């Protein structure tokens, strides 16, 4: 006996409310519907095209709904599979294709109504927005500049807490001290910063680090193990801190929320905006920053590292290391496509800066790595 | 996988028996205990950022865990965070359910979970977020609720109105409209409150007997505010 693999649901008086799974086959003159009972017995029913009433239904109006029969014998069949629907459409006689088209039309109408409704809401908003329209980036920048840092912090903090509550956080030890020292050195070079940077070291082999809006930074121990010096990690931190300082996360959020957000910001609908940001906005953190933002974070990151008198060559060597792709799992790459061009650009930028001597960190990188359990690599 | 609800009622737990090599998906943090043969893989489905987005967008816990009986047969015990009932559904490959927020507890590896974006109006007005989980495929699905789970069975074209914060899951064959229960449109636009869903059958709607939002608000009044 062949396996029973249902492709449709049949509803009716004697069937369960969730529908009876059945196999629908399209024949020349109608449908063959096969049911299987709990004991494995199969019952077949042939229903001619002539009796069907056709509509669209289901949550997204993407099910083809066929109705037939009266009263106790009334049946409703839900087809979802696109191939099956197509086959039905091809086989069904003309008198059904008309209601079929009507059903399709109704689907379009529903969608259209939704669109019109949001169009109307959006339209009035767009009218406001258009007045400000000198180019989308300018609009985004304007909107972003109106978002108070406290909102940004609220948003970032919520995400940060949620994230950390599921992670093994490293609370103390040489690695934490080292990261705190780096962050302090960098933050000291950002006078009047509205952000108080919080950096957490998370125990994980993931080679990654990220910054959430509002100044919440996470460094994974995997990244610290991969680095050959504190300066390399500081380079990544310099880059991530600049994503925060340049409000790249917010820019992405506002861009994706689009007009709705811009209007909410302009009319000062705080509650609505926070709701929107929580729901739509943070999806943006899942997207890559765009290339311009990455370049900006690279260059401003390099300058920050330089001002903090941290040897900037660490940042460059780390980027180079990451661009050697055969190094296994390097998650930073998935959010940061590292090309050798990127390292080259930093080199050129560094060459343009006046030479000055850098000051080492107070920690020994080897101590940090030993504490993380990095095995010393045997000399080749 | 064979599953069984222990202590049915407000504080239930699920025991899932796994044959050697079998694995299930579970909400992270749902595991209470397991045989030593079971390994936990905190796989971040869709990568870190995918997991982050799922958390933030659906309110779903950060990661699904994969629980695998890698060293022989074994069992796991799973429990939800909030007091409330557990229901086990057998998905047959054609029935699909929309599951909201914290409704997912565990499922066979063969079930398919996708985050689905709702239409703008439903997302904005429904208060349940823009993203819900769409769960299909074939196999066992374990849902949990806040309070008791009540099943509403709808015949074709039969309608039923539910407060949207009480929704747990509903069949994809149902359709629904969001309607405002009272008050002005603008208020509901921002707060998502006072809204109801008018469901239309056929299909099944699972609702929970308690409203997490109202419960939170009620608790909050007893928590001293420190500013
Ligand atoms: Zn970056």
């Amino acid at each position: 006996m062949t396996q029973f693999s249902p492709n449709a649901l049949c509803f009716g008086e004697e069937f369960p409310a969730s529908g009876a799974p059945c196999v629908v086959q399209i024949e020349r003159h109608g449908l063959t519907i096969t049911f299987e009972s709990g004991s494995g017995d199969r019952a077949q029913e042939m229903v001619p095209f002539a009796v069907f009433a056709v509509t669209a239904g289901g949550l997204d109006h993407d099910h083809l709904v066929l109705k037939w029969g009266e009263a106790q014998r009334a049946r409703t069949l839900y087809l979802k599979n696109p191939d099956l629907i197509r086959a039905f459409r091809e086989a069904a006689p003309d008198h059904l294709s008309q209601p079929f088209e009507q059903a399709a039309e109704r689907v379009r109408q529903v969608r259209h109504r939704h669109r019109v409704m949001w169009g109307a809401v959006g339209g009035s908003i767009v009218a406001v927005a258009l007045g400000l329209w000198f180019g989308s980036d300018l609009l985004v920048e304007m909107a972003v500049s109106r978002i108070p840092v406290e909102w940004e912090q609220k948003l970032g903090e919520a995400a940060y807490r949620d994230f950390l509550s599921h992670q093994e956080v490293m609370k103390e030890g040489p690695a934490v001290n080292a990261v705190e020292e780096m962050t302090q050195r960098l933050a000291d070079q950002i006078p009047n910063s509205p952000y108080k940077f919080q950096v957490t070291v998370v125990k994980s082999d993931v080679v990654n680090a990220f910054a959430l809006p509002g100044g919440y930074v996470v460094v994974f121990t995997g990244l610290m193990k991969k680095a050959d010096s504190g300066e390399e990690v500081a380079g990544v931190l310099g880059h991530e801190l600049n994503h925060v300082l340049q409000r790249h996360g917010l820019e992405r959020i506002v861009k994706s929320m689009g007009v709705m957000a811009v209007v909410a910001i302009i009319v000062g609908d705080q509650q609505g905006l926070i709701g929107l940001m929580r729901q739509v906005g943070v999806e943006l953190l899942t997207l890559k920053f765009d290339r311009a933002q990455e370049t900006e974070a690279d260059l401003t990151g390099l300058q920050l590292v330089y001002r903090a008198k941290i040897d900037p060559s660490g940042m460059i060597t780390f980027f180079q290391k990451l661009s050697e792709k055969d190094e296994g799992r390097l998650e930073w790459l998935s959010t940061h496509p590292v090309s050798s061009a990127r390292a080259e650009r930093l080199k050129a930028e560094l060459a343009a800066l006046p030479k000055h001597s850098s000051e080492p960190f107070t920690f020994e990188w080897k101590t940090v790595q030993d504490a993380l359990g990095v095995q010393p690599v045997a000399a080749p | 996988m064979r599953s069984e609800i222990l202590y049915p009622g407000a504080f239930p737990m699920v025991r899932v028996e796994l044959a050697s090599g079998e694995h299930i998906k579970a909400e992270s943090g749902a595991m209470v205990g397991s045989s030593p043969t079971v390994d936990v893989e905190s796989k971040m489905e869709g990568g870190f950022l995918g997991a982050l987005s799922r958390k933030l967008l659906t309110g779903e816990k950060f990661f699904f865990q994969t629980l695998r009986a890698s060293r022989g047969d074994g069992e796991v015990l799973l429990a939800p965070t909030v007091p409330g009932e557990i229901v086990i559904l057998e998905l047959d490959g054609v029935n699909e359910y929309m599951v909201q927020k914290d409704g997912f507890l565990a499922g066979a590896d063969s079930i398919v979970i996708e985050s689905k974006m709702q239409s703008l109006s439903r997302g904005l007005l429904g208060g349940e977020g823009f993203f819900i989980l769409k769960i299909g495929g074939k196999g066992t699905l374990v849902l949990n609720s806040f309070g008791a789970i009540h099943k509403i069975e709808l015949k074709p074209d039969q309608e039923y109105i539910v407060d949207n914060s009480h929704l747990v899951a509903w069949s994809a064959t149902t359709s629904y409209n969001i309607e405002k229960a009272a008050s002005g449109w603008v208020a509901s636009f921002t707060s998502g409150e006072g809204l109801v869903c008018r469901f239309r059958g056929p299909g099944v709607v699972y609702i929970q007997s308690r409203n997490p939002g109202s419960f939170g608000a009620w608790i909050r009044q007893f928590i001293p505010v420190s500013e």
Side-chain angles (χ1 to χ4, degrees), chain B residues 215-226:
Chain B
F215 183 70
W218 181 79
I219 287 273
R220 228 166 283 135
Q221 62 180 321
F222 301 110
I223 301 173
V225 182
S226 60

Side-chain angles (χ1 to χ4, degrees), chain A residues 88-374:
Chain A
F88 180 91
R89 195 171 187 168
E90 277 159 17
D94 289 345
H95 82 271
L96 276 187
S97 61
Q98 200 188 346
F100 197 106
E101 295 310 328
Q102 279 168 357
E105 180 57 30
R106 216 160 305 137
V107 173
R108 277 193 290 273
Q109 270 172 15
V110 170
R111 292 194 180 143
H112 181 68
R113 237 196 343 262
H114 283 247
R115 243 176 270 140
V116 167
M117 179 181 158
W118 287 103
V121 175
S124 50
I125 290 165
V126 168
V128 179
L130 270 184
L132 304 163
W133 192 268
F134 304 120
S136 68
D137 284 349
L138 184 60
L139 199 62
V140 167
E141 263 171 50
M142 273 181 65
V144 165
S145 68
R146 292 188 65 144
I147 298 175
V149 170
E150 298 87 78
W151 295 14
E152 202 180 348
Q153 282 166 338
K154 230 181 252 178
L155 180 75
E157 198 192 347
Y160 193 55
R161 279 215 198 125
D162 279 334
F163 176 70
L164 292 181
S165 68
H166 295 91
Q167 299 295 320
E168 200 183 335
V169 170
M170 198 173 250
K171 296 219 170 58
E172 52 192 16
V176 175
N177 296 341
V179 167
E180 274 170 2
E181 183 181 330
M182 293 170 199
T183 311
Q184 196 55 48
R185 283 268 296 268
L186 294 168
D188 284 347
Q189 299 307 315
I190 313 164
N192 311 321
S193 164
Y195 303 100
K196 220 181 128 286
F197 291 104
Q198 275 192 43
V199 182
T200 304
V201 178
V202 164
K203 277 189 213 170
S204 162
D205 287 336
V206 169
V207 181
N208 206 349
F210 64 88
L212 293 164
Y216 303 91
V217 183
V218 170
V219 181
F220 293 96
T221 49
L223 184 123
M224 300 185 71
K225 286 183 189 172
K226 193 102 215 158
D228 288 322
S229 70
E231 281 75 9
E232 294 190 354
V233 177
V236 173
L237 278 176
H239 172 98
E240 294 298 336
L241 295 194
N242 274 289
H243 277 314
V244 175
L245 291 171
Q246 320 293 337
R247 307 185 97 179
H248 287 159
L250 275 193
E251 281 177 19
R252 303 294 301 175
I253 288 170
V254 169
K255 255 186 199 164
S256 91
M257 289 194 302
V259 176
M260 291 295 288
V262 173
V263 168
I265 294 163
I266 290 168
V267 268
D269 175 5
Q270 304 204 0
Q271 208 193 355
L273 184 71
I274 289 178
L276 270 173
M277 290 201 350
R278 287 189 69 117
Q279 296 191 332
V280 186
V282 186
E283 181 198 13
L284 259 290
L285 299 178
T286 72
L287 299 180
K288 292 170 189 166
F289 292 118
D290 63 36
R291 190 175 291 169
Q293 290 176 325
E294 286 304 339
T295 306
E296 190 179 15
D298 279 357
L299 296 182
T300 50
L302 182 78
Q303 285 158 9
L304 181 60
V305 165
Y306 174 85
R307 280 207 307 279
K309 297 207 159 106
I310 298 170
D311 184 0
S313 58
M315 184 173 186
I316 295 169
T317 53
F318 198 57
F319 276 30
Q320 269 166 344
K321 201 178 301 170
L322 291 178
S323 66
E324 292 155 13
K325 297 242 160 102
D326 54 351
E327 298 249 359
R329 301 176 353 126
L330 293 173
E331 281 78 359
W332 206 66
L333 290 178
S334 63
T335 45
H336 291 87
V338 175
S339 58
S340 43
R342 209 163 152 182
E344 291 306 318
R345 190 168 46 227
L346 286 179
K347 260 188 208 163
E349 186 71 13
L350 180 59
L353 291 170
K355 292 269 178 299
H356 72 183
S357 59
S358 34
E359 288 166 17
F361 291 113
T362 62
F363 53 82
E364 283 288 331
W365 188 241
K366 194 178 170 313
T367 320
V368 173
Q369 289 214 311
D370 287 350
L372 291 172
V374 177

